[in-house]
Amino acid sequence: MAAADPNDRLGFLLSFRGELTGARIRAALAVAGLHPRNAMTLMRLAPGATSQRELAAVMEVDPSQLVAILNELESDGLCERRRDPADRRRHIVEITPAGVEALDRVDAAVSAAERELFGDLTEAEQTLLRGLLDRVVVDPAGHECGE
């Protein structure tokens, strides 16, 4: 039996292109000294303060992972946590002015990278690609990779 052409294997093609795209985005994020997960957290905080629990849910990360991310961002002065006065068990997380500045640098750098990566696609094709990628089932059972 002949081996399949790698370009005919969607998983392989998506994985390979994903690695290349990830490397380009990580390079863009380096302008602000951020890792992708830190930049994504700041993006989620940009609209306004939120609870730490809600942030973990929307980011689809384990709360303990979010604590590590927030510790890094907080030590860099990019976000801050405070107790909710209405419920002392609850933490409210908010982006700082320095976090907004870092996010502005990230946005400019990522926009440039995306123009480079997707410049050959029309707006309609980019919209179609977003829709198709949203439908790719990465983990149907809801387990962490490696479980």
Side-chain angles (χ1 to χ4, degrees):
M1 178 177 199
D5 181 343
N7 290 326
D8 290 337
R9 304 306 306 232
L10 285 176
F12 181 80
L13 187 59
L14 184 58
S15 176
F16 181 70
R17 293 291 180 179
E19 287 177 22
L20 296 175
T21 301
R24 181 63 184 93
I25 295 299
R26 282 189 300 280
L29 293 175
V31 302
L34 293 174
H35 299 285
R37 66 186 187 161
N38 297 38
M40 181 63 72
T41 304
L42 289 178
M43 288 179 204
R44 295 290 187 182
L45 291 173
T50 187
S51 79
Q52 194 166 312
R53 179 173 293 153
E54 290 165 350
L55 184 58
V58 76
M59 290 184 61
E60 300 178 355
V61 298
D62 184 86
S64 64
Q65 289 177 315
L66 182 60
V67 167
I69 295 167
L70 293 176
N71 286 346
E72 289 177 25
L73 291 172
E74 206 168 24
S75 71
D76 291 338
L78 303 178
C79 81
E80 58 187 23
R81 285 176 280 195
R82 65 184 185 286
R83 296 272 183 198
D84 184 343
D87 182 351
R88 302 291 297 160
R89 297 168 295 176
R90 185 177 142 156
H91 283 93
I92 300 297
V93 187
E94 191 167 25
I95 193 169
T96 64
V100 171
E101 289 177 18
L103 196 50
D104 287 344
R105 290 190 305 275
V106 162
D107 188 53
V110 170
S111 291
E114 287 179 341
R115 280 191 301 276
E116 179 184 305
L117 289 163
F118 306 112
D120 288 344
L121 300 178
T122 65
E123 280 296 320
E125 289 170 330
Q126 290 179 41
T127 299
L128 176 62
L129 179 58
R130 273 187 206 92
L132 292 171
L133 290 173
D134 281 344
R135 292 175 47 204
V136 174
V137 178
V138 178
D139 186 15
H143 298 291
E144 293 291 324
C145 292
E147 282 189 292

